[in-house]
């Protein structure tokens, strides 16, 4: 189910709710000008995400520090019991996140399917 779309002419965040997971699909350049759009989208779904909050950056062509800041703040603000993860691949997204060590802060997955599967694994390990 699509919940919302936040956008400018060259940037957008599509939001989807799926079995307790809020999935934000980001497209365009995530920089100082567009980071507030992502933050607004995260804020809008934080209460709807009962299992997971997944930020899919596979459509991002450029990731600036302002975008990384939103990811860190989003990770810190998810409620207890909600798994936060990022989908990122390649030089534009995964590499910058790794270079600044954010792969040690929150999980980074190669696909949305991997992120959602890991959500179930993480929740199961909470009860082990």
């Amino acid at each position: 189910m699509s919940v919302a779309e936040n956008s400018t002419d060259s940037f957008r965040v599509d939001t989807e709710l799926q079995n307790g997971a809020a999935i934000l699909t980001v497209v365009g350049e995530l920089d100082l000008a567009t980071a507030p759009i992502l933050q607004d989208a995260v804020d809008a779904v934080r209460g709807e995400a009962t299992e997971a909050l997944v930020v899919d950056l596979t459509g991002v062509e450029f990731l600036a520090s302002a975008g990384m800041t939103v990811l860190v703040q989003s990770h810190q603000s998810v409620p207890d019991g909600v798994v936060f993860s990022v989908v990122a691949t390649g030089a534009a997204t995964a590499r910058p996140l790794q270079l600044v060590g954010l792969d040690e802060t929150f999980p980074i997955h190669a696909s949305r399917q991997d992120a959602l599967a890991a959500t179930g694994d993480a929740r199961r390990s909470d009860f082990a």
Side-chain angles (χ1 to χ4, degrees), residues 66-92:
M68 291 185 217
T69 298
V70 171
L71 295 174
V72 170
Q73 291 171 341
S74 299
H75 172 256
Q76 293 171 341
S77 69
V78 294
D80 288 341
V82 175
V83 178
F84 178 85
S85 60
V86 172
V87 178
T89 58

Side-chain angles (χ1 to χ4, degrees), residues 10-119:
S10 60
F11 180 84
R12 76 174 192 271
V13 179
D14 297 324
T15 304
E16 178 182 345
L17 296 176
Q18 189 179 104
N19 300 323
I23 305 162
L24 302 173
T25 303
V26 185
V27 178
E29 294 185 0
L30 184 50
D31 56 21
L32 186 61
T34 58
I37 298 170
L38 176 57
Q39 185 64 62
D40 289 346
V42 169
D43 292 344
V45 299
R46 188 176 294 116
E48 302 292 325
T50 58
E51 302 288 324
L53 177 57
V54 177
V55 180
D56 185 345
L57 301 178
T58 55
V60 171
E61 299 138 10
F62 175 76
L63 177 59
S65 61
M68 291 185 217
T69 298
V70 171
L71 295 174
V72 170
Q73 291 171 341
S74 299
H75 172 256
Q76 293 171 341
S77 69
V78 294
D80 288 341
V82 175
V83 178
F84 178 85
S85 60
V86 172
V87 178
T89 58
T93 56
R95 186 72 178 136
L97 292 171
Q98 292 166 344
L99 284 173
V100 299
L102 290 180
D103 58 332
E104 300 294 325
T105 302
F106 46 75
I108 299 173
H109 300 281
S111 72
R112 178 188 295 201
Q113 293 78 12
D114 290 348
L116 292 172
T119 296

